[in-house]
Amino acid sequence: MELRQALQNEADLVVVYVMASNQVNAKTIRFLDELGLRDRIRFARDENSAAIDALGLLKQNPEAIEVGVPHPATYLLDRDGVVRFVDVREDFHLWVDPAEILGALAKLR
């Protein structure tokens, strides 16, 4: 199951993608619009990859196109901002299993 489908019934869930500033552009916004997800997903620009670096997610020895781009990571925060789930990947092709996120969400209830 696709993550978007798995989380579609979580009414108050907002997804925030923290991305290097060079990754957020018109194409990124069109992607959200095409999927009808602009009200559920936000992009936060991480200028100079400061947050990415502070979290230890900055790729070591990146290719030119990857400078400032983090390892894919998923964090689930509760309403108080407490981190309740973390998943960090080396390979952006392999996403976290939606069942893991749904399990973590269930623990918040």
Side-chain angles (χ1 to χ4, degrees), residues 18-28 43 45 52 65 67-70:
V18 178
M19 303 172 79
S21 56
N22 64 334
Q23 292 180 287
V24 181
N25 53 42
K27 182 179 177 182
T28 312
F43 288 112
R45 286 183 169 96
I52 291 166
I65 197 169
V67 172
V69 177

Side-chain angles (χ1 to χ4, degrees), residues 68-80:
V69 177
H71 289 291
T74 301
Y75 293 85
L76 176 63
L77 285 67
D78 66 16
R79 292 177 190 269
D80 297 321

Side-chain angles (χ1 to χ4, degrees), residues 3 24 55 62 66:
L3 184 59
V24 181
L55 291 168
E66 297 176 315

Side-chain angles (χ1 to χ4, degrees), residues 36-102:
L37 295 172
R38 192 183 280 222
D39 62 330
R40 302 274 319 253
I41 296 178
R42 307 286 187 269
F43 288 112
R45 286 183 169 96
D46 184 10
E47 297 298 326
N48 301 315
S49 299
I52 291 166
D53 191 35
L55 291 168
L57 299 174
L58 200 59
K59 290 184 176 188
Q60 300 300 314
N61 306 312
E63 295 181 30
I65 197 169
E66 297 176 315
V67 172
V69 177
H71 289 291
T74 301
Y75 293 85
L76 176 63
L77 285 67
D78 66 16
R79 292 177 190 269
D80 297 321
V82 176
V83 176
R84 300 297 182 171
F85 174 85
V86 176
D87 180 87
V88 179
R89 305 283 169 133
E90 294 285 326
D91 184 350
F92 72 90
H93 293 99
L94 303 173
W95 288 66
V96 63
D97 185 334
E100 290 184 60
I101 295 175
L102 290 173

Side-chain angles (χ1 to χ4, degrees), residues 5-30:
Q5 293 168 326
L7 299 175
Q8 69 187 0
N9 294 326
E10 299 294 330
D12 62 344
L13 179 71
V14 174
V15 176
V16 178
Y17 280 96
V18 178
M19 303 172 79
S21 56
N22 64 334
Q23 292 180 287
V24 181
N25 53 42
K27 182 179 177 182
T28 312
I29 302 304
R30 271 195 318 274

